[in-house]
Every structure is written in structure tokens, then in C-alpha cells.
Amino acid sequence: MPGPGPPGADILRPRHVLAEDSLRAFVTALPKAELHVHLEGSIPPELALRLAARHGVRLPGDEAGAQGVREAFRFVDFGRFIRVYLALSRCLQTVDDLRDVVVALAQRLRAQGVVHAEVTFTPMTHAVRGVSEEVIMEGLMQGRELAATIGVSILYVLDIVRSYADQAEPTLGFALRLRQRLAGGVAGLGLAGPEGGDHPLGPMVDVFARARAAGLRSLPHAGEFLGASSVRAAIDRLGADRIGHGVRAIEEPSLIEELARRQIPLEVCPSSNVALGVFPDLARHPLPQLIAAGVAVSLATDDPALFGVDLVDEYLRCASQFGWSVDRLRALAQASLRHASVDEDTRRSWLAAAAAVPDPE
Ligand SMILES: [Zn+2]
């Protein structure tokens, strides 16, 4: 609570609040793309509890209701993050479950002015639990159709977990069949999970090559828990078209130069990076240096329900921390549209709409 202010503070404070509100309204009005969001990590506690009750699944903290689940989402390390993530995954068992979480995500995105989302989903996590491919595909398809009626275009990124190399091939197969079923609707193949020596990229290289040959984009995570070498491997060995995170590329100036020269976009998720300890706080996040070096970046949330953040918050937090101008915010929204996996006519119309949003008062 703020203490009593100096004379005139009661006049100044409403002005300040108004400025914040008008900036939020501006960022919300900008058409934006959310290019890095995991479906399983987008399920808010209230919806997670409803799904868990449908199936008798226990969630961490559920004895204290939604607030308890929300508190269980405060991560102390990556291991705890994965445990919560897997508990949420166990709530997705039927067509209705999957449809409902896609629609709930689309509704929240629409309220933030997001016109397009590339939603990462890890099909094999669910398939190995016994959820059939038919159920998963039908749920994703119904969710996507309803999202379109809400005004959010969704493409799926089918994601492989690095530590399960045996799931790479089935994930590619799933991605290709889903694309056929949805007549498009799939942006590409993703790769997430622990980076590092225990989980070499070797088994993924051929799968990503065949994915690219089949017209899927290569959209791996890299440079989150390992440094620049992991980003370089994603580019050189997986042919990355865009990189999830990539922020630790900052550790190698020659790589930053290459990313800028080749304009390989990074999906930067500052709140996720701070929550998972990639950087100690937002002040020490390298986003300003990446932008200054000319690297193509967009802002994203990664797992908005788990990190208690939405995309508009992410823009506003960074604007406040890094002293961004209105022009910078608009340019970042436009960058997200430029980096999206959509046709040029669609992109042009969204960019024009973003250019037409008036500056805040
Ligand atoms: Zn991610």
C-alpha cells in the first residue's frame, strides 16, 4: 500500500493510473501473434480443477481449491515445473477436454488482441497414457474450429520431448496426419525438454530433415537451459526456421551476429525465463541487447497459466522495465505477425491493422 503522498499526490496518482490504463488499452488493441504457448501450460487453475474432477485426477495443491493449485504453480526448479505440467496433462483425456482447453485459450487470447497463435502440443505425452490418436485429433480440430469463430487463428506445433528420442518418429507421423485432417492447421515440428549431453540431438536430425522436406517448419526450443552451442545446433542440425527462447545466444557475440544477419526469429518469453531461473530477474534479461543487435524477436508467454502472465502483461512489464516507447511496442506486435507461419495476404492485412491502431493519449 502506498503511504500518504506529497501535496497533490491525489491529483498525480489518477493521472498515472490513466497512463497505465491507456497503455494497456493500446497494447490490447494491437493485433498480435502469440508464437510460443504450450496448450498444457495454458490451463488456468479453475479449468484444471474442473477437468481433474471429471476424471478423478489429483492436482498439486487441490485440497485448497483453485488458490492452492495456483500456489503449487510457483516453481522452485525445472523438476517441479515438469511434475505440475504432467499433472495437468493427465487431465486431458477426452475430445471434450481438449476442445475445452483450446477454446478457453482462444477466449483469453482474443481478449488480449491476439489474432493468431501457434500452439505447442506434445501428442506423445498423451498417447503413451492411452489417449487415442482419434480422440486427440478430434479434440484439437474441434477446438481450432471454435477458436476461428472467436476470431483467433490457431496453428499447432507438434512437439517432441528431447529426452524421449523414440517419440520423435511417431510425433512426425502424428503431425503429418493431423495436417491432412485439418487441411493445414499445423505450423511445424517442435522440440522441448532438457537440453544437454544426456539427450543428444542425433536421433532428431533425420526426423527434422524429413519434416522440413514435407513442408513443416522446424520450430525447436534451444538456448534456454544451455548456452549458445545449443542454439547453433538447432540452426545447423535441425534447420530451425524460428527458435523457442534462444536467449542464451547472448553468450556468444558471433552467434548473435549470425542470428541478426539471417533474421532467424526468437520467441522470447521473459517471465518464463525468470520463473525458471534462466535469468535471475527481468532487469538482467538480455532482451534489450538482442533488440539492439538487430535480432528478430517477438514476445510470448510459454506457459501463461503456470507463470501467471498473459501476453499483454508481458509487453507492459517489459515496457516498464526497459523503458520502451509506444513505437517499440507496436514494432514488437508487428514482428510477431511477421514471424507467424501464415500466408502473405493474411499477414499484410494484420500488419495494416496494427499500423492503424492510434497511439495512446
Ligand atoms: Zn516452451
Side-chain angles (χ1 to χ4, degrees):
M1 285 286 286
D10 57 332
I11 297 169
L12 288 173
R13 194 165 173 278
R15 272 194 201 149
H16 174 66
V17 170
L18 187 68
E20 245 182 44
D21 283 352
S22 69
L23 200 58
R24 177 173 289 276
F26 170 70
V27 171
T28 304
L30 288 171
K32 297 173 288 298
E34 161 64 278
L35 301 178
H36 190 134
V37 58
H38 296 259
L39 185 61
E40 298 91 333
S42 78
I43 308 171
E46 295 77 8
L47 177 57
L49 279 173
R50 281 207 300 281
L51 297 175
R54 274 184 199 170
H55 304 297
V57 170
R58 294 300 307 265
L59 291 172
D62 62 2
E63 61 283 352
Q67 187 54 28
V69 174
R70 190 170 286 111
E71 278 169 23
F73 287 180
R74 295 206 179 114
F75 305 110
V76 287
D77 57 37
F78 192 60
R80 169 131 164 220
F81 170 77
I82 291 297
R83 283 195 293 282
V84 170
Y85 192 89
L86 291 177
L88 283 171
S89 295
R90 283 196 291 277
C91 296
L92 302 179
Q93 299 186 15
T94 65
V95 170
D96 290 1
D97 299 338
L98 284 153
R99 181 200 60 219
D100 290 354
V101 296
V102 175
V103 170
L105 173 60
Q107 285 167 334
R108 287 193 305 283
L109 292 174
R110 188 73 199 102
Q112 299 166 55
V114 173
V115 292
H116 174 77
E118 300 192 8
V119 178
T120 292
F121 180 73
T122 315
M124 295 310 295
T125 302
H126 306 279
V128 297
R129 287 190 294 108
V131 185
S132 75
E133 179 168 305
E134 173 57 28
V135 163
I136 297 173
M137 287 196 181
E138 184 66 22
L140 295 178
M141 185 177 77
Q142 288 187 15
R144 180 171 184 261
E145 284 175 0
L146 287 166
T149 67
I150 295 166
V152 179
S153 112
I154 284 182
L155 295 176
Y156 293 110
V157 176
L158 287 314
D159 174 81
I160 304 162
V161 179
R162 282 176 189 259
S163 41
Y164 296 108
D166 59 320
Q167 296 180 358
E169 188 74 48
T171 304
L172 172 58
F174 180 95
L176 295 173
R177 289 189 294 279
L178 182 66
R179 181 177 62 173
Q180 201 166 28
R181 171 105 177 231
L182 299 185
V186 174
L189 202 60
L191 181 67
E195 297 169 69
D198 291 344
H199 309 294
L201 269 190
M204 308 293 172
V205 171
D206 175 58
V207 171
F208 271 79
R210 280 185 285 124
R212 283 168 16 238
L216 296 179
R217 303 186 83 200
S218 169
L219 304 169
H221 290 53
E224 181 186 16
F225 296 108
L226 268 191
S229 62
S230 178
V231 178
R232 198 170 281 290
I235 297 169
D236 293 345
R237 302 185 68 198
L238 303 182
D241 293 296
R242 201 176 67 210
I243 294 174
H245 300 292
V247 283
R248 286 185 56 187
I250 201 70
E251 295 167 15
E252 191 186 313
S254 66
L255 176 59
I256 290 295
E257 276 170 33
E258 183 177 344
L259 286 169
R261 179 169 45 79
R262 294 173 63 179
Q263 289 291 291
I264 298 170
L266 307 185
E267 305 146 10
V268 178
C269 312
S271 294
S272 161
N273 293 156
V274 172
L276 294 180
V278 179
F279 302 104
D281 52 39
L282 192 54
R284 279 174 279 187
H285 195 284
L287 182 53
Q289 292 96 296
L290 293 168
I291 291 173
V295 177
V297 299
S298 66
L299 287 178
T301 58
D302 206 1
D303 298 289
L306 303 189
F307 302 131
V309 68
D310 70 27
L311 190 60
V312 171
D313 291 336
E314 204 78 70
Y315 277 71
L316 293 175
R317 283 181 190 178
C318 289
S320 170
Q321 179 66 50
F322 304 130
W324 284 348
S325 65
V326 163
D327 289 348
R328 168 70 62 206
L329 290 165
R330 190 193 304 274
L332 278 162
Q334 291 174 320
S336 72
L337 302 169
R338 284 200 185 89
H339 305 164
S341 312
V342 296
D343 66 83
E344 290 309 315
D345 285 348
T346 304
R347 192 191 320 282
R348 257 195 301 277
S349 77
W350 286 337
L351 285 169
V357 175
D359 282 354
E361 297 285 308

